[in-house]
Amino acid sequence: MADEQSVRQAFIQQANACSALGSPFTGALCRLFAERLDRKTPVGRTVLDWPGDPSGAADSVPLRLAGSLHALVLEGLEPALAALYPPETHWSEDGIDEALASALLAAFETHAGFICERLRSAPQTNEVRRSGALLPGFLTIAKRFPLPLRMSEIGASAGLNLHWDRYGYAFGGFSWGNPNSAVRITPEWNGPPPDVAPISIVERAGCDLNPIDPNDPDQCTRLLSYIWADQTDRLDRTRQALAIARQQAAGVDKQDALDFLRQRLGTSPENTVHVIYHSIAWQYLPEAARAEGERLIKTAGEKATEPHPLAHLAMEADGQSPGAALTLQIWPTGEKQEIGRADFHGRWVQWKGWRN
């Protein structure tokens, strides 16, 4: 069981991370709870007596609590709280004002059952802007192998980044995709222009331990609740991406990543390039599972040929800064390179490209 001090420290660390990632409201929310959480309510006791690691590297308890409260607002269960939530102005860089603080703490009593149930689930988002960081990698693959793409995404959630080719992109002077798409992705771009190559996708599939069904309003609301309440652009973009996903046949299978890899790597049609990809998902696999996943991909890569290549594109934390590493490994050569770095939420891309 975590001690109370480590729980409060987890909220402070998450507050700093949220502020750095452009959510001063969620940062202020986490600081408020770091200071005021007590054991007078079931919610307070559940959080302060957390049985595991409450930090953002493990159970992400602060984001579970923030998501629970946002869900009350989105589902219309607490109008008094909703009236004080963003885009209202009952918070600032200096913190939460007393009216909102009182409404938040009152919700712990009024909606204890709802919040405690939500605390049992890990946060789950499907950040659409990560497609803006992945797209240059897909274009690099398509230029290297002028073949149709067979897409396999690990940790796909609602499958929003399975539909990356249906969005519109602008990287400075470079644009790509559907100019009429309701989803526009425009990261700050640093580096040379990405490669340009025709894209044809013959198949797409994804897996997740807890996939979100875009056709289920309750599941969609749960997904939206984990987006930080003051980031209305992320909320709007995700809603539009969910609408696009509802129009498509490709879904996300409820499946373990290793089982998914064994299935997808077991067979693949000739004259296609099989693209295994993931974004801020690999790190959540247990260490043994990551090692086995890498072995499965490498073994399949050793069997790859020029008419039947394999690519592994990843956007994952690597302990370095800034942001996350964009890495690409291709077979039959097996060569691996860091092709860029990207903000965890896809706000910017530092592009290096593939070095021949």
Side-chain angles (χ1 to χ4, degrees), residues 169-176 184-194 196:
Y169 301 83
F171 305 147
F174 174 82
S175 60
W176 191 89
R184 300 289 300 166
I185 299 177
T186 59
E188 178 185 335
W189 181 269
N190 291 289
V196 177

Side-chain angles (χ1 to χ4, degrees), residues 14-24 129-130 228 230-231 234 323 343-348:
Q14 188 61 61
N16 294 336
C18 290
S19 297
L21 286 167
S23 181
R129 279 185 301 193
R130 289 176 186 154
W228 299 333
D230 54 335
Q231 296 189 327
R234 290 180 68 205
D343 172 69
F344 287 102
H345 287 173
R347 295 177 300 171
W348 52 261

